[in-house]
């Protein structure tokens, strides 16, 4: 029996942010959300629901969880876990601070799960935040939702016959992103440095950058081979070849945007020229429109090119 059978919580007790929606999570209807379990390798799974993709390691040592979506979904997430293991959740690692990845922290934390994250994640969660691009204020998280173990560069877990190595990638999607490598299983959870099939959101307000996103993909590619399974922060289960395609898109967008900035082309004129028309049909169908994505990229690169 999962721990949530013994743990009650209110679905509207925490105000959460959905990065893919203009409304706050407490006004969203999660009743119809289904948690889909995708087997990745033996003992390793991906859970799909609403929000960031969840990574799971199961075995005799218990459950190691990566991210937890939204608080109203915790019972459904636990039910999905109960279908694949009778072991309790022992550790929860947050890939970054955004609440479509950390919304269930309080529920798991109150149940005794050890929450782990990069130093910056705890700092972001413990104070009020504001995302200008979505015009949303995110209130500080309660104490039970905060990581109780933090790290600066890397941390390694030895569970379920796996060496689970998490490493920080700087100024990528945010300032506190972690990539998690299941070495023996040859599986990588990339967090939100990888949006598979859609333009990525880059949280430049909180330390993210396009350059950092590209560098993060290069670090992942350096440890991946053709058999590696890659769990993206959003989108379907992936692999090295698809990550190479994603990186090429990011490189092309950076090159085109830098050229426009160097030529003195304004943001409005740049967007009007539809510089990513060849990519939009494939990548432009996510929650970020091509115009919104290009605005973030242009402003990021313009700010970094200013003497």
């Amino acid at each position: 029996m999962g721990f949530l059978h013994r743990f009650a919580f209110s679905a509207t007790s925490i105000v959460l942010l959905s990065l893919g929606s203009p409304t706050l999570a407490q006004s969203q209807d999660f009743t119809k959300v289904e948690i889909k379990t995708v087997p990745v390798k033996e003992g390793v799974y991906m859970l799909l629901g609403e929000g960031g993709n969840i990574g799971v390691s199961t075995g005799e040592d218990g459950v190691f969880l990566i991210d937890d979506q939204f608080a109203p979904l915790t019972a459904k997430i636990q039910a999905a876990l109960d279908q694949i293991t009778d072991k309790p959740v022992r550790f929860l690692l947050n890939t970054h601070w955004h609440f479509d990845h950390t919304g269930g922290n309080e529920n798991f934390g109150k149940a005794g799960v050890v929450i782990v994250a990069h130093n910056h994640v705890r700092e972001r969660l413990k104070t009020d935040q504001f995302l200008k691009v979505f015009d949303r204020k995110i209130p500080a998280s309660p104490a039970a939702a905060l990581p109780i173990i933090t790290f600066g560069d890397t941390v390694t877990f030895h569970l379920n016959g796996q060496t689970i190595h998490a490493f920080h990638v700087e100024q990528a999607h945010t300032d506190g992103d972690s990539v998690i490598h299941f070495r023996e299983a040859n599986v990588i959870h990339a967090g939100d440095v990888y949006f598979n099939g859609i333009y990525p959101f880059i949280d430049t307000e909180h330390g993210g950058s396009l350059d950092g996103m590209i560098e993060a993909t290069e670090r992942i590619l350096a440890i991946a081979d053709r058999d590696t399974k890659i769990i993206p922060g959003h989108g379907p289960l992936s692999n090295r070849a698809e990550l190479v395609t994603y990186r090429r898109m990011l490189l092309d967008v950076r090159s085109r945007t830098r050229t426009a900035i160097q030529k003195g082309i304004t943001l409005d004129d740049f967007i009007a020229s539809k510089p990513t028309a060849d990519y939009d049909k494939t990548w432009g169908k996510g929650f970020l429109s091509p115009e919104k994505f290009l605005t973030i990229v242009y402003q990021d690169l313009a700010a970094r090119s200013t003497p």
Side-chain angles (χ1 to χ4, degrees), residues 4 15 69 73 193 196 213 227 261 268 300:
L4 282 172
V15 178
Q69 300 191 355
L73 296 175
V193 301
N196 186 17
M213 293 280 279
D227 297 320
I261 293 170
D268 288 344
D300 172 41

Side-chain angles (χ1 to χ4, degrees), residues 125-242:
L125 290 177
K126 69 188 289 189
T127 57
D128 292 346
Q129 302 294 325
F130 186 77
L131 277 169
K132 184 178 179 181
V133 68
F134 297 109
D135 191 27
R136 290 290 177 262
K137 179 180 179 181
I138 304 94
S141 299
L146 301 178
I148 62 173
I149 296 176
T150 61
F151 61 95
D153 186 20
T154 68
V155 64
T156 303
F157 298 80
H158 302 274
L159 293 168
N160 301 327
Q162 293 291 327
T163 305
I164 306 171
H165 181 69
F167 58 92
H168 177 226
V169 286
E170 297 182 359
Q171 294 186 307
H173 175 62
T174 67
D175 60 5
D177 297 286
S178 294
V179 172
I180 300 90
H181 185 199
F182 297 85
R183 287 176 174 165
E184 288 77 11
N186 198 14
V187 174
I188 297 170
H189 193 303
D192 275 8
V193 301
Y194 182 23
F195 283 60
N196 186 17
I198 60 175
Y199 286 132
F201 169 53
I202 306 172
D203 187 358
T204 56
E205 298 173 78
H206 298 93
S209 70
L210 177 58
D211 289 346
M213 293 280 279
I214 293 171
E215 290 172 8
T217 64
E218 291 169 350
R219 290 189 64 181
I220 295 171
L221 290 170
I223 60 174
D225 59 37
R226 65 181 183 179
D227 297 320
T228 304
K229 300 295 185 181
I230 301 176
I231 301 173
H234 297 268
L237 185 64
S238 190
N239 54 45
R240 191 182 194 280
E242 291 178 349

Side-chain angles (χ1 to χ4, degrees), residues 23-267:
T23 61
L24 292 175
Q26 68 175 152
S27 64
Q28 290 181 262
D29 181 8
F30 290 97
T31 60
K32 297 181 180 179
V33 174
E34 296 182 1
I35 304 298
K36 180 182 179 181
T37 300
V38 179
V40 180
K41 291 286 183 73
E42 183 176 358
V44 181
Y45 302 85
M46 177 175 75
L47 301 185
L48 299 168
E50 182 72 24
N53 292 332
I54 295 173
V56 182
S57 168
T58 64
E60 289 302 311
D61 297 324
V63 176
F64 180 89
L65 202 63
I66 302 172
D67 291 341
D68 53 25
Q69 300 191 355
F70 296 99
L73 296 175
T74 309
K76 292 184 177 183
I77 291 167
Q78 183 60 51
L81 294 174
D82 289 345
Q83 294 298 310
I84 56 178
T85 181
D86 59 359
K87 300 294 183 180
V89 179
R90 292 185 61 191
F91 296 97
L92 166 62
L93 195 154
N94 295 145
T95 58
H96 61 292
W97 73 272
H98 288 154
F99 270 27
D100 62 324
H101 295 256
T102 64
N105 275 20
E106 183 180 12
N107 295 333
F108 285 104
K110 284 184 175 180
V113 175
V114 176
I115 304 175
V116 184
H118 186 267
N119 298 330
H120 293 329
V121 175
R122 179 179 169 89
E123 294 306 309
R124 295 294 185 190
L125 290 177
K126 69 188 289 189
T127 57
D128 292 346
Q129 302 294 325
F130 186 77
L131 277 169
K132 184 178 179 181
V133 68
F134 297 109
D135 191 27
R136 290 290 177 262
K137 179 180 179 181
I138 304 94
S141 299
L146 301 178
I148 62 173
I149 296 176
T150 61
F151 61 95
D153 186 20
T154 68
V155 64
T156 303
F157 298 80
H158 302 274
L159 293 168
N160 301 327
Q162 293 291 327
T163 305
I164 306 171
H165 181 69
F167 58 92
H168 177 226
V169 286
E170 297 182 359
Q171 294 186 307
H173 175 62
T174 67
D175 60 5
D177 297 286
S178 294
V179 172
I180 300 90
H181 185 199
F182 297 85
R183 287 176 174 165
E184 288 77 11
N186 198 14
V187 174
I188 297 170
H189 193 303
D192 275 8
V193 301
Y194 182 23
F195 283 60
N196 186 17
I198 60 175
Y199 286 132
F201 169 53
I202 306 172
D203 187 358
T204 56
E205 298 173 78
H206 298 93
S209 70
L210 177 58
D211 289 346
M213 293 280 279
I214 293 171
E215 290 172 8
T217 64
E218 291 169 350
R219 290 189 64 181
I220 295 171
L221 290 170
I223 60 174
D225 59 37
R226 65 181 183 179
D227 297 320
T228 304
K229 300 295 185 181
I230 301 176
I231 301 173
H234 297 268
L237 185 64
S238 190
N239 54 45
R240 191 182 194 280
E242 291 178 349
L243 183 62
V244 168
T245 299
Y246 172 77
R247 174 179 171 272
R248 170 49 54 191
M249 180 273 293
L250 294 180
L251 286 170
D252 284 348
V253 171
R254 181 173 69 177
S255 176
R256 296 172 192 184
T257 308
R258 278 180 173 171
T259 298
I261 293 170
Q262 291 167 356
K263 291 181 177 180
I265 298 173
T266 67
L267 172 59

